[in-house]
Amino acid sequence: MLNIGQIHRNEYELNNDRSTQIAIAQAPGRIHFLGEQGEPEAGYFLSAAIDRYIRVAVNMRKDNSFRFLAADLGERKRGTLTNLKYRREDRWANHLKPAILLFIELGLPVKGLNFTFCGDIPQQIALASSTAIEVATATALKNLFRVQINDMDLAQKLKAAHETLFENTASLADYLICIMAKKDHFLLVDSSVNEVKLIKSPFSRFRIILIDSRVPRMGTGAESEIASRRCDILKGLELLTQKREGAGFKDFAPTDLIEALGDFPEQIRRRSMHIVEEIHRVDDSAAALERCDLASFAKIICYSHESLRDLYEISCPEIDWLVKRAQEIEGVAGSRMTGLGFGGCTYTIIRRELVEEYKKRLEDYERIFGFRPVIYEIKLSARARVIKE
């Protein structure tokens, strides 16, 4: 990755001014292994941070201006304290603004600031690069202003600042993963009660392969389909909770849906069944990891993909092909789609000595489907932190 500290000093002419404090922080991307299609605002995930990062450098200015540099793009944006709001033309710079808002709301003497950021998190494939920008910025500002704030408060306040700026909902789980992750650990995240549990990874002899299928998303069509499914599961929850006020999907078992089959339209039943079963799969997968039961874990991941394909119906032939090729190899401890669906990525947990065999099997993918997949080897990474350069 670029030497962001030196780039920052060059950009803002600080090389001869060693008295100016520069705070630099990095935040990881994340991957959901299970659960990302769950109940809105009450998600239950098996996730991890990954070893792809966003880095942000910041120092104070003497005026009330903000300067933003995207070092990877060679692009610059400007702003002021009085017009600190979402602006479409600011594009990437908008994602540094929630952290600024957060520290203003905490009562810090925020005036002018210089920012530089860069990163190597792949874009547009649901690895939470935007959240990483926000968390890296907040971590750098926390260090710059010497602020004491605990992890949960930081996650909740940053989420609230994002929602104020962008006027949309954000996933608390993404912030919690980015802020609380630990190297070589999975995270069991329960957004409904703001709990995070760390689980040591038993996959020291394995590699995690992330494959971007390169299937073009359907644009507004995909967004419409995803919104339709969210609507279906909310209707399903409404039907389930008619006699159990205040309950969520976590309070029901698959047998509850079977008993209520007559009251459910078929499509809502399928979507709801996926959510209820997925919650149990998250629990079961965490238990399997804790007892190092890799065979059971692999089966759970397989069942989850089948459910996304058959009940939630957000997979596609290309994604199913990638998963099937992986599952044919003995020594794979799980392969599944990840992300919003209708294209996107798969992940495969595979013994390290079999990685090249799996990659060789992927050579047919472009011939069959016409897309060249992009392959990333990732590791489970640590939380956001201050760094020195």
Side-chain angles (χ1 to χ4, degrees):
M1 198 184 299
L2 299 174
N3 185 325
I4 191 172
Q6 190 57 55
I7 292 171
H8 187 83
R9 292 185 184 93
N10 291 343
E11 175 70 14
Y12 300 108
E13 301 179 350
L14 300 173
N15 285 313
N16 297 321
D17 182 9
R18 294 296 171 178
S19 64
T20 297
Q21 182 189 358
I22 301 173
I24 304 174
Q26 74 174 22
R30 68 95 184 95
I31 182 171
H32 291 314
F33 290 91
L34 289 165
E36 74 265 40
Q37 303 297 337
E39 181 183 349
E41 295 302 312
Y44 197 45
F45 306 87
L46 183 73
S47 309
I50 63 172
D51 60 338
R52 298 291 190 278
Y53 307 97
I54 295 292
R55 287 184 177 172
V56 172
V58 59
N59 75 278
M60 296 183 190
R61 294 175 59 89
K62 295 179 180 179
D63 59 19
N64 291 333
S65 298
F66 297 125
R67 298 288 188 270
F68 304 100
L69 169 66
D72 295 321
L73 303 175
E75 293 182 2
R76 295 162 178 82
K77 302 291 181 181
R78 294 187 175 196
T80 65
L81 196 59
T82 56
N83 69 352
L84 189 62
K85 60 184 179 181
Y86 174 84
R87 299 197 308 170
R88 185 174 182 180
E89 61 270 26
D90 282 351
R91 297 170 40 240
W92 48 266
N94 286 308
H95 291 288
L96 288 87
K97 295 176 185 178
I100 303 173
L101 285 174
L102 186 161
F103 286 94
I104 291 173
E105 291 170 1
L106 288 175
L108 275 298
V110 178
K111 292 184 178 179
L113 296 164
N114 292 323
F115 291 96
T116 302
F117 91 95
C118 65
D120 61 1
I121 301 175
Q123 305 292 298
Q124 306 299 320
I125 55 173
L127 298 180
S129 59
S130 297
T131 302
I133 295 173
E134 296 179 20
V135 172
T137 306
T139 304
L141 288 172
K142 178 183 174 183
N143 178 255
L144 186 69
F145 290 116
R146 298 288 190 262
V147 176
Q148 297 296 319
I149 181 172
N150 67 47
D151 292 341
M152 184 60 69
D153 279 350
L154 181 62
Q156 291 176 327
K157 291 181 185 300
L158 194 53
K159 174 182 182 290
H162 171 102
E163 292 175 342
T164 297
L165 186 80
F166 287 91
E167 297 182 348
N168 61 19
T169 57
S171 168
L172 179 61
D174 286 350
Y175 294 99
L176 293 174
I177 294 162
C178 198
I179 292 170
M180 297 185 177
K182 186 176 180 180
K183 185 180 179 182
D184 297 326
H185 282 70
F186 291 87
L187 288 85
L188 183 64
V189 183
D190 188 343
S191 296
S192 66
V193 291
N194 298 339
E195 288 184 354
V196 177
K197 179 180 180 181
L198 295 169
I199 303 171
K200 176 70 175 176
S201 170
F203 295 115
S204 60
R205 298 182 180 180
F206 288 73
R207 293 290 182 267
I208 302 175
I209 308 298
L210 183 71
I211 300 178
D212 180 358
S213 68
R214 307 299 288 176
V215 175
R217 295 289 297 275
M218 299 184 300
T220 55
E223 293 175 4
S224 176
E225 288 293 328
I226 292 166
S228 171
R229 280 152 181 75
R230 293 290 176 90
C231 184
D232 285 342
I233 64 174
L234 289 175
K235 288 184 179 295
L237 182 59
E238 181 182 349
L239 289 169
L240 276 172
T241 56
Q242 286 178 345
K243 297 181 180 179
R244 207 184 299 184
E245 187 176 347
F249 277 113
K250 283 185 67 177
D251 301 304
F252 296 93
T255 52
D256 294 320
L257 273 77
I258 294 172
E259 293 171 0
L261 181 61
D263 298 326
F264 277 53
E266 177 58 22
Q267 181 170 291
I268 292 176
R269 185 197 70 83
R270 290 200 309 272
R271 311 290 191 242
S272 301
M273 182 65 77
H274 166 74
I275 301 301
V276 171
E277 291 183 340
E278 186 78 351
I279 289 169
H280 288 273
R281 283 189 288 264
V282 171
D283 275 330
D284 293 344
S285 67
L289 290 172
E290 288 179 319
R291 63 175 185 269
C292 298
D293 186 349
L294 305 191
S296 293
F297 181 83
K299 289 179 182 178
I300 293 164
I301 297 300
C302 177
Y303 294 151
S304 178
H305 182 78
E306 290 174 352
S307 182
L308 288 167
R309 181 191 66 201
D310 300 334
L311 296 180
Y312 211 66
E313 298 179 288
I314 58 167
S315 189
C316 63
E318 295 87 349
I319 291 291
D320 293 337
W321 189 94
L322 290 169
V323 170
K324 189 172 187 298
R325 292 288 81 75
Q327 292 174 343
E328 290 171 350
I329 301 174
E330 188 171 348
V332 166
S335 185
R336 175 191 183 272
M337 66 168 288
T338 185
L340 296 176
F342 304 105
C345 294
T346 69
Y347 67 81
T348 298
I349 305 173
I350 184 171
R351 286 194 175 277
R352 57 192 176 196
E353 66 269 20
L354 300 174
V355 169
E356 292 308 313
E357 178 186 343
Y358 180 43
K359 289 181 179 179
K360 188 171 181 60
R361 293 193 182 204
L362 298 178
E363 292 175 0
D364 288 335
Y365 179 83
E366 185 176 5
R367 177 181 58 80
I368 296 170
F369 296 107
F371 308 118
R372 182 186 292 274
V374 181
I375 302 172
Y376 304 95
E377 292 192 33
I378 59 175
K379 297 178 181 178
L380 307 190
S381 181
R383 57 188 286 165
R385 63 185 179 91
V386 173
I387 62 172
K388 301 292 184 181
E389 282 194 353

